[in-house]
């Protein structure tokens, strides 16, 4: 006892407001997180109340003294939830601006600005191209970073929503005086409080005294069934103990006095809030892929920079010029359009998913769904309808399905079901009450009018349901016969003990051993099917013994509750959604493992799991919360490895978190569904947190990455398909963007190594990356999913950018595009008198402003201004050649495997994008202000056709390559080399 209580005391010390451990802010938050991950270890709900009063220094009649309460409040702090220090908005903004691929773009921007500074210090009239490019890159990073920040900032408000669940005041006694408006923040351990119907529980309290006390734990558990709480014997697990009511739960019936056990951060709610706020979400697969790609591109660019530096030094370029060259080659390697393309593609996909009842809060979660390997699904509301209904009724030795055509409920059951209920019926017909009673009344409404029944049998007295007796009873006046009727419902094992006869048609039969065995078997069969079983009984009182003026007493019961007549037994169930079984079949066919993680009873959980196809009856392995308490992380890991079909039942919030972390340790990409506050830590830690839009709590919605607006598991299947499709399409977009990198990099090589006039300028590179390429790259996200997208296993070693893609881009398609640009460049130069052979080595004189008589191959003399105008025309022609070939690459990138002749041009967004690409190139070349700013030129009509042979070559080559891949020609050479 003392060790467990001392464990609670030690964790209490961690949450004192004055940081007694003197830890740094980050270390304190980490230490608190590790402490909150552990199960609650206390026996304060098990020890006798007398000992508990002594331990807490309180009195059950007078409460704490004001001095003692003030001392505890100052020492342990107020009864509120402590905000974390991890998610302050400046830090979040910094992470949004400087993470993943944005770091590479920031580097490019700084290098561009550095190159401009160097040129400004060494030249009288430096080019401003690098300045413009640097500013544009900064703008791209800031815009994308702010977009990401606003997407994620809402997640930092988790604790605010938790605090909204806390009441402002409560009834508390101190110094023997009741204070009906004690601020909840001032409560401390040991305070004596009173709660009544409609009140929110102000702290975790142990019940001292109660009457008909029921609480709705849905704010914590998500289960909306009211449960009784009373001064009874506690169970080892405090979360299942019937003598404890928890912070933030709602009292729906009765009243209770209780003593405060825990306040603030150490309450059940506080622990969930602390975990949800402090847990760092796992990096998404896409962010990991982009980080990996960023590292590869950085190394590649650095290696090219080193090569250029060595070559420039050997060729005799001065150090300053060499530095500018190195910066230029590194910047040319940065695909500036990749980040906005990925962001735009994910955003457009998210908008499409909203139309399918799937609201995406975290854009990267879309792609992560496609990579998911394990789904930890909640039961209530996700797999089931979250609506209790009657499925079976046992009436004397026969179990009827309510759908049986010959089924007709007996009159006594109609009357008992309508009367023995606390649910209310509004004038408009709406029924309000707990799930079971609401289901019973809905069922009875199809046979009779419960309101009429109740008016004919007014209630005289009532004994509310409690966890000890396991029944509910009430006395009613039969107006027609002028006598009293006792009705009772409850757990079958308790009701049967009070019955001596059973209803049999229009007569009654004495309960024999055979009758009892038949009833027991019916109860067992219904329970094994996952149904909640209730028995109904009644007793007509003798009018001579109980006249009309008889005073019924429910405290000192003065009427019979024995010798009743058993009317029938009903089985209620929250049935599975019709579409869930097919959805789970599709998910499992896609190689995704589905596990149920619920707080419900193991038998009910297993029955639903079998019914929806999560598990087979013979092989399903059920792990309860008690089992998990006895498992260390290694044993849980081995259990997940040994059993493929697992149902976790009666789990606590920390256990749900442990299951998620164990799956991630197993190498799984984990999606978690949930709707309650207790699901928040698991939703936060999972790779993809999925909340319910209809039944989900505000906390679960705030914590999740995705919200299912229809609360339907089948929507997750759509999300997985969409995620796999977007990953395939992102590959196509990335491939398309990278192709244009080659004709942007190699001209810089030609410029440096062969001293050619620069074939492609910085500003025209910008026109390609952030102009003409953008729409076609984004429009590839609209490509339809390939037919086998849900038949493949989840990807494990299929990167976003693979070596095969790089070989295809840099060794095939990019080189053809570079060749088209150089062909156009050399053709325009030749038309004006500069033949290719004479261009090599000419750069130094070409760029020298002092040389005003440079001779071409025909002997014509060119001034510096004339040369620069020709250079602009050549660069514009090179740019147009890149645009024309990129249009064909957009068509090629529609498929990675199939022929474009089979797929066709059905993607209208891409078709418009290709037209836009060509139109934008025309605008950039012919609009006077723009062509001056971007260093382009109004081209002659025939120059647009110089690149035409190369798109034809691209299409022919790629169709041949894909044909070889499909038919596995040349010993699968193309498959191994270029099938990305």
């Amino acid at each position: 006892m003392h060790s467990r209580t001392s464990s609670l005391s030690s964790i209490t010390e961690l949450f004192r407001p004055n940081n007694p451990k003197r830890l740094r802010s980050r270390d304190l938050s980490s230490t608190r997180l590790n402490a909150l991950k552990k199960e609650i270890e206390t026996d304060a709900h098990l020890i006798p109340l007398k000992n508990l009063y002594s331990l807490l220094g309180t009195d059950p009649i007078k409460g704490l003294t004001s001095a003692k309460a003030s001392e505890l409040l100052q020492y342990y702090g107020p009864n509120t939830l402590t905000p974390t220090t991890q998610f302050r908005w400046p830090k979040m903004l910094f992470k949004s601006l400087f993470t993943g691929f944005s770091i590479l773009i920031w580097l490019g921007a700084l290098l561009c600005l550095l190159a401009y500074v160097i040129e400004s210090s060494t030249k009288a009239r430096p080019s401003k191209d690098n300045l413009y490019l640097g500013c544009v890159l900064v703008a791209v990073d800031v815009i994308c970073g702010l977009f990401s920040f606003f997407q994620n900032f809402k997640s930092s408000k988790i604790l605010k929503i938790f605090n909204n669940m806390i009441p402002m005041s409560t009834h508390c006694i101190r110094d023997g005086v009741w204070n009906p408006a004690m601020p909840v923040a001032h409560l401390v351990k040991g305070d004596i409080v009173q709660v009544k119907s409609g009140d929110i529980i102000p702290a975790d309290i142990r019940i001292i005294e109660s009457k008909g006390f029921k609480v709705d734990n849905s704010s914590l558990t998500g289960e909306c069934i009211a449960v009784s709480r009373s001064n009874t014997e506690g169970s080892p697990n405090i979360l299942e103990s019937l003598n404890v009511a928890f912070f933030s739960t709602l009292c729906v019936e009765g009243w209770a006095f209780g003593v405060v056990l825990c306040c603030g951060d150490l309450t059940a709610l506080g622990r969930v809030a602390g975990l949800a706020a402090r847990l760092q979400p796992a990096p998404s697969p896409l962010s990991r892929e982009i980080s990996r790609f960023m590292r590869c591109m950085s190394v590649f660019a650095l290696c090219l920079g080193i090569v250029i530096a060595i070559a420039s030094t050997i060729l005799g370029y001065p150090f300053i010029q060499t530095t500018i060259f190195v910066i230029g080659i590194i910047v040319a390697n940065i695909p500036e359009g990749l980040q906005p393309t990925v962001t735009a593609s994910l955003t457009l996909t998210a908008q499409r998913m909203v139309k399918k009842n799937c609201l995406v809060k975290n854009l990267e979660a879309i792609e992560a769904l496609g990579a998911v390997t394990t789904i930890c699904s909640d039961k209530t509301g996700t797999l089931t309808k979250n609506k209790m209904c009657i499925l079976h009724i046992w009436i004397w030795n026969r179990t009827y399905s309510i759908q049986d055509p010959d089924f007709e409920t007996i009159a006594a059951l109609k009357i008992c079901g309508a009367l023995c209920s606390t649910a209310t019926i509004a004038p408009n017909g709406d029924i309000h009450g707990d799930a079971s009673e609401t289901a019973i009344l809905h069922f009875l409404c199809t046979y009779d009018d419960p309101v009429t029944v109740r008016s004919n049998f007014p209630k005289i007295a009532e004994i509310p349901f409690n966890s000890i007796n396991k029944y509910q009873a009430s006395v009613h006046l039969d107006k027609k016969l002028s006598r009293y009727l006792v009705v009772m419902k409850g757990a079958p094992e308790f009701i049967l003990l009070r019955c001596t006869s059973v209803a049999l048609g229009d007569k009654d039969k004495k309960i024999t051993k055979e009758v009892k065995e038949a009833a027991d078997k019916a109860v067992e069969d219904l329970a094994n099917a996952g149904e909640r079983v209730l028995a109904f009984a009644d007793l007509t009182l003798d009018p001579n013994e109980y006249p009309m003026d008889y005073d019924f007493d429910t405290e000192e019961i003065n009427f019979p509750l024995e010798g009743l007549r058993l009317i029938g037994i009903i089985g209620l169930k929250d049935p599975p959604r019709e579409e869930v079984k097919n959805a789970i079949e599709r998910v499992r066919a896609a190689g995704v493992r589905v596990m149920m993680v619920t707080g419900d009873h193991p038998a009910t959980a297993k029955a639903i799991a079998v019914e929806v196809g999560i598990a087979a009856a013979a092989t399903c392995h059920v792990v309860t919360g008690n089992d998990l308490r006895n498992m260390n992380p290694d044993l849980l890991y081995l259990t997940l490895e040994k059993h493929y079909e697992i149902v976790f039942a009666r789990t606590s919030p920390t256990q749900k978190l442990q299951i998620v972390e164990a799956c991630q340790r197993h190498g799984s990409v984990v999606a978690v569904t949930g709707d309650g506050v207790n699901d928040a830590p698991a939703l936060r830690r999972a790779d993809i947190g999925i909340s319910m839009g209809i039944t989900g709590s505000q906390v679960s919605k705030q914590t999740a990455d995705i919200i299912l607006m229809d609360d339907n598991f089948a929507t997750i299947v759509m999300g997985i398909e969409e995620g796999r499709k977007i990953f395939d399409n992102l590959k196509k977009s990335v491939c398309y963007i990278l192709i244009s990198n080659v004709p942007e990099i190699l001209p810089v090589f030609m410029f440096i190594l062969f001293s050619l006039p620069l074939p492609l300028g910085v500003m025209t590179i910008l026109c390609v990356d952030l102009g003409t390429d953008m729409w076609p790259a984004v429009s590839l996200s609209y490509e339809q999913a390939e037919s086998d997208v849900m038949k493949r296993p989840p990807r494990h070693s299929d990167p976003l950018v693979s070596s095969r893609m790089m070989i295809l881009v840099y060794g095939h398609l990019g080189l053809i595009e570079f060749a088209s640009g150089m062909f156009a460049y050399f053709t325009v130069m030749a038309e004006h008198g500069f033949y290719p052979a004479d261009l090599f080595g000419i750069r130094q004189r070409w760029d020298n402003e002092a040389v005003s008589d440079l001779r071409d191959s025909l002997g014509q003399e060119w001034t510096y201004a004339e040369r620069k105008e020709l250079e602009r025309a050549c660069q514009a022609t090179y740019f147009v050649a890149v645009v024309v070939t990129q249009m064909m690459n957009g068509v090629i990138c529609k498929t990675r495997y199939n022929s474009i002749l089979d797929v066709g041009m059905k993607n209208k967004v891409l078709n418009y994008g290709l037209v836009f690409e060509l139109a934008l190139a025309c605008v950039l070349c012919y609009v006077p202000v723009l062509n001056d700013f971007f260093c382009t030129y109004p081209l002659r009509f025939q120059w647009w056709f110089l690149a035409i042979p190369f798109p034809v070559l691209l299409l022919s080559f790629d169709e041949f390559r894909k044909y070889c891949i499909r038919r596995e020609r040349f010993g699968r050479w193309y498959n191994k080399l270029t099938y990305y």
Side-chain angles (χ1 to χ4, degrees):
M1 181 184 86
H2 296 293
S3 62
R4 299 180 76 189
T5 304
S6 63
S7 172
L8 182 63
S9 300
S10 62
I11 191 174
T12 303
E13 290 292 317
L14 274 176
F15 286 86
R16 283 177 51 197
N18 60 355
N19 189 4
K21 303 290 185 181
R22 296 288 181 260
L23 296 171
R24 288 187 307 168
S25 178
R26 180 184 298 176
D27 294 336
L28 178 63
S29 184
S30 176
T31 305
R32 286 175 171 173
L33 174 61
N34 292 331
L36 292 173
K37 283 185 177 181
K38 298 176 182 177
E39 287 290 319
I40 302 174
E41 294 186 1
T42 179
D43 54 8
H45 61 297
L46 300 174
I47 62 176
L49 278 171
K50 183 178 178 181
N51 295 358
L52 181 62
Y53 299 144
S54 176
L55 184 68
L56 297 176
T58 190
D59 182 273
I61 306 299
K62 296 182 178 180
L64 291 171
T65 64
S66 297
K68 172 83 171 176
S70 178
E71 179 185 342
L72 290 172
L73 183 64
Q74 185 176 4
Y75 188 78
Y76 290 114
N79 178 31
T80 55
L81 303 179
T82 307
T84 66
T85 57
Q86 284 188 343
F87 297 102
R88 299 285 174 84
W89 71 265
K91 181 179 179 181
M92 186 176 292
L93 178 60
F94 181 83
K95 289 180 70 175
S96 298
L97 292 173
F98 299 93
T99 187
F101 197 77
S102 62
I103 297 175
L104 199 59
I105 297 182
W106 279 114
L107 175 63
L110 291 174
L111 290 175
C112 286
L113 296 176
L114 177 61
Y116 174 72
V117 170
I118 292 173
E119 280 195 276
S120 298
S121 62
T122 56
K123 292 183 179 180
R125 287 188 291 179
S127 169
K128 293 185 177 180
D129 289 358
N130 282 319
L131 175 62
Y132 294 148
L133 180 57
C135 292
V136 169
L137 292 181
V138 169
V140 168
D141 246 342
V142 169
I143 291 170
C144 291
L146 287 176
F147 184 82
S148 175
F149 169 72
F150 287 119
Q151 284 285 322
N152 297 323
F153 181 64
K154 295 178 182 178
S155 300
S156 66
K157 299 180 180 178
I158 293 173
L159 272 177
K160 185 176 181 181
I161 292 181
F162 274 103
N163 277 312
N164 290 339
M165 299 168 62
I166 300 171
M168 298 301 294
S169 61
T170 188
H171 286 68
C172 176
I173 188 170
R174 285 186 185 167
D175 298 318
V177 178
W178 280 102
N179 182 350
M182 169 70 75
V184 167
H186 294 173
L187 285 184
V188 294
K189 284 197 301 183
D191 267 326
I192 307 297
V193 297
Q194 180 190 23
V195 288
K196 57 184 183 300
S197 180
D199 289 347
I200 295 175
I201 312 300
D204 286 359
I205 63 173
R206 177 169 171 181
I207 310 303
I208 300 172
E209 182 184 355
S210 65
K211 182 176 181 181
F213 183 53
K214 284 187 177 182
V215 292
D216 177 1
N217 283 336
S218 59
S219 65
L220 272 178
T221 65
E223 302 285 341
C224 55
I225 299 175
V227 290
S228 297
R229 290 291 185 261
S230 61
N231 179 13
T232 185
E233 185 177 348
S235 55
N237 179 9
I238 189 172
L239 297 176
E240 297 175 4
S241 192
L242 299 179
N243 62 358
V244 178
F246 296 103
F247 196 19
S248 82
T249 59
L250 175 67
C251 172
V252 293
E253 286 183 32
W255 55 264
F257 291 101
V259 57
V260 175
L261 298 179
C262 288
C263 295
D265 295 309
L266 296 180
T267 59
L269 175 77
R271 286 169 174 264
V272 172
L275 282 171
R278 290 178 174 83
L279 282 168
Q280 287 280 16
S284 71
L286 182 61
S287 65
R288 292 196 291 266
E289 283 297 323
I290 289 177
S291 297
R292 173 183 167 277
F293 173 60
M294 181 191 71
R295 291 192 296 270
C296 293
M297 289 300 294
S298 299
V299 171
F300 181 63
L302 188 61
C303 291
L304 282 181
I306 293 172
V307 170
I308 289 298
I310 295 171
S312 298
T313 303
I314 293 172
L315 292 172
Y317 287 105
F319 176 77
I320 296 296
Q321 189 65 57
T322 299
T323 302
I324 294 175
F325 288 160
V326 170
I327 291 173
I329 202 67
I330 291 175
V331 172
N333 268 282
I334 298 174
E336 295 89 351
L338 181 59
Q339 186 176 14
T341 297
V342 170
T343 303
S345 298
L346 293 176
T347 302
L348 292 170
T349 304
Q351 291 173 354
R352 291 201 302 271
M353 290 177 73
V354 169
K355 298 176 182 177
K356 300 178 181 179
N357 294 318
C358 189
L359 176 64
V360 179
K361 290 175 58 187
N362 177 9
L363 291 179
E364 290 183 355
I366 304 170
E367 185 278 330
L369 260 181
V372 70
T373 59
T374 301
I375 299 175
C376 296
S377 177
D378 191 19
K379 178 183 73 68
T380 307
T382 309
L383 302 176
T384 64
K385 296 180 179 179
N386 195 26
K387 184 179 180 181
M388 295 289 284
C389 61
I390 295 176
L391 297 183
H392 296 93
I393 294 182
W394 180 88
I395 300 174
W396 169 233
N397 206 21
R398 181 176 175 186
T399 301
Y400 294 89
S401 168
I402 61 168
Q403 296 176 344
D404 288 349
D406 61 338
F407 168 69
E408 183 176 352
T409 183
I410 62 174
L413 186 58
K414 298 176 187 175
I415 294 171
C416 186
L419 300 181
C420 195
S421 173
T422 57
T424 59
I425 305 175
N428 62 358
D430 291 343
I431 300 173
H432 303 282
D434 72 34
S436 298
E437 295 192 340
T438 301
I440 293 169
L441 288 182
H442 273 299
F443 168 72
L444 293 176
C445 283
T446 61
Y447 295 94
D448 207 342
D449 180 12
V451 176
T452 303
V453 174
R454 289 181 175 186
S455 65
N456 293 333
F457 293 84
K459 186 183 294 184
I460 305 301
E462 182 179 28
I463 302 175
F465 179 89
N466 67 66
S467 57
I468 298 175
N469 297 328
K470 300 285 187 182
Y471 69 79
Q472 173 188 346
S474 56
V475 181
H476 299 262
L477 173 63
D478 184 344
K479 287 182 177 181
K480 184 177 180 180
L481 300 176
S482 299
R483 63 187 181 185
Y484 292 110
L485 176 70
V486 177
V487 291
M488 180 182 289
K489 82 167 187 287
E493 62 270 24
F494 288 86
I495 301 296
L496 282 168
L497 291 174
R498 297 174 180 270
C499 294
T500 56
S501 63
V502 60
L504 179 60
D506 295 330
K507 59 182 180 179
D508 299 341
K509 178 180 179 179
K510 185 178 180 180
I511 290 184
T512 61
K513 182 180 179 181
E514 290 76 16
V515 172
K516 190 175 185 308
E517 287 177 352
D520 288 341
K521 186 177 187 307
V523 170
E524 184 180 357
D525 290 344
L526 294 176
N528 288 338
E531 297 182 27
R532 186 185 181 197
V533 186
L534 291 174
F536 290 79
D538 66 2
L539 176 65
T540 301
L541 298 181
D542 186 344
N544 296 322
E545 290 186 48
Y546 302 93
M548 292 297 99
D549 59 349
Y550 188 81
D551 185 16
F552 290 91
D553 187 353
T554 57
E555 294 294 330
E556 301 291 334
I557 298 174
N558 60 354
F559 56 94
L561 294 175
E562 306 286 343
L564 281 71
R565 175 182 66 161
L566 178 65
I567 302 173
I569 296 170
I570 68 169
L572 300 104
K573 191 175 184 179
D574 180 8
R577 294 173 178 269
E578 290 81 359
E579 61 275 18
V580 163
K581 187 169 185 177
N582 179 59
I584 288 178
E585 286 176 0
R586 290 189 65 200
V587 167
R588 294 188 68 165
V592 180
R593 181 183 190 180
V594 184
M595 299 187 300
M596 182 188 290
V597 184
T598 179
D600 213 337
H601 190 277
T604 305
K606 182 176 180 179
I608 293 293
V610 172
E611 195 169 346
V612 301
I614 287 179
T619 60
C620 177
H621 183 66
V622 179
V623 180
T624 66
N626 286 330
D627 296 332
L628 282 169
R629 283 183 195 88
N630 298 323
M631 287 184 181
N632 58 31
D634 291 334
L635 184 56
L636 177 56
Y637 178 88
L638 292 172
T639 302
L640 289 169
E641 198 170 53
K642 181 179 179 181
H643 302 282
Y644 184 79
E645 296 179 345
I646 301 182
V647 169
F648 292 96
R650 290 288 191 233
T651 53
S652 67
T654 53
Q655 289 170 340
K656 290 186 179 184
L657 177 60
Q658 290 166 10
I659 293 166
V660 172
E661 290 182 333
C663 291
Q664 289 173 330
R665 182 186 169 197
H666 207 263
S668 300
V669 178
V670 184
V672 171
T673 70
D675 56 2
V677 174
N678 61 327
D679 298 314
L683 290 170
R684 181 75 172 170
R685 186 68 184 90
D687 297 280
I688 312 103
I690 305 171
S691 175
M692 304 299 109
I694 300 173
T695 60
S697 65
Q698 286 299 316
V699 173
S700 67
K701 292 177 187 177
Q702 190 68 40
T703 312
D705 302 301
I706 291 173
I707 299 174
L708 303 183
M709 305 307 293
D710 55 358
D711 287 15
N712 195 342
F713 184 89
T715 307
I716 300 175
V717 181
M718 179 276 298
I720 292 175
E721 184 173 359
E722 199 70 33
R724 292 188 173 188
K725 183 180 82 172
I726 193 62
F727 183 77
D728 284 356
N729 290 342
L730 275 176
K731 275 189 163 190
K732 298 171 186 177
S733 296
V734 171
C735 180
Y736 175 78
I737 289 171
L738 290 180
I739 291 172
S740 61
N741 251 27
V742 179
E744 291 171 359
I745 295 170
L746 292 182
V748 181
F749 269 92
M750 301 287 287
F751 174 71
I752 297 169
L753 301 181
F754 301 109
S755 287
L756 288 174
L758 186 62
L760 188 66
V762 171
M763 296 306 290
T764 40
I765 289 176
L766 192 63
C767 291
V768 173
D769 287 348
L770 297 176
T772 57
D773 270 4
M774 286 297 294
W775 187 334
V778 173
S779 65
L780 287 169
S781 67
Y782 284 87
E783 286 296 319
Q784 293 300 311
E786 297 181 29
S787 58
D788 66 338
V789 71
M790 289 300 286
K791 298 176 183 177
R792 310 175 200 155
R795 71 174 196 275
H796 292 285
S797 57
D798 183 19
L800 181 66
V801 181
S802 63
S803 57
R804 295 179 183 183
M805 181 190 289
M806 300 299 278
I807 290 171
L808 177 65
V809 166
Y810 285 90
H812 293 72
L813 304 180
L815 288 180
I816 296 175
E817 191 166 300
F818 166 69
S820 75
M822 291 307 299
F823 175 75
Y825 169 85
F826 282 130
T827 300
V828 173
M829 281 288 191
E831 279 188 18
H832 289 81
F834 289 96
Y835 295 163
D838 296 324
L839 287 174
F840 290 87
I842 201 174
R843 184 191 66 81
Q844 191 170 5
R845 297 186 64 208
W846 183 280
D847 288 336
N848 191 339
E849 293 183 44
V851 178
S852 59
D853 56 352
L854 181 65
R855 291 180 179 274
D856 61 19
S857 303
L858 301 177
Q860 303 172 99
E861 293 184 353
W862 291 74
T863 64
Y864 178 78
E866 291 170 340
R867 296 196 304 269
K868 284 301 172 181
E869 184 177 1
L870 175 59
E871 183 178 291
R872 276 182 60 185
C874 292
Q875 289 180 354
T877 310
Y878 188 107
F879 161 69
V880 166
V882 169
V883 168
V884 171
T885 47
Q886 271 294 84
M887 290 172 67
M888 181 54 71
N889 277 322
V891 175
I892 286 171
C893 289
K894 280 172 60 68
T895 70
R896 297 187 295 129
Y897 180 84
N898 296 320
S899 168
I900 189 63
L901 301 177
D902 296 331
V903 175
M905 297 297 292
K906 299 176 184 177
N907 185 347
K908 293 182 180 179
V909 182
L910 175 62
N911 298 341
Y912 294 143
L914 297 178
V915 174
F916 168 80
E917 186 171 11
L918 189 62
L920 181 60
C922 292
V923 169
L924 292 172
C925 288
Y926 294 107
V927 175
V929 177
L930 290 178
N931 61 24
D932 284 339
F933 181 78
F934 289 105
C935 301
T936 54
Y937 194 80
L939 303 180
R940 296 176 187 171
F941 181 72
Q942 66 267 25
W943 291 350
W944 285 87
F945 298 94
L946 293 174
I948 292 298
F950 295 91
V952 175
L953 175 61
L954 273 171
L955 182 62
S956 303
F957 162 74
D958 202 65
E959 283 295 303
F960 173 73
R961 179 183 69 86
K962 289 172 183 173
Y963 171 81
C964 294
I965 289 172
R966 291 193 300 273
R967 300 298 178 90
E968 299 185 352
R969 303 293 187 189
F970 304 112
R972 295 172 55 87
W973 184 75
Y974 274 111
N975 299 60
K976 297 173 184 176
L977 198 66
T978 64
Y979 181 43
Y980 65 93

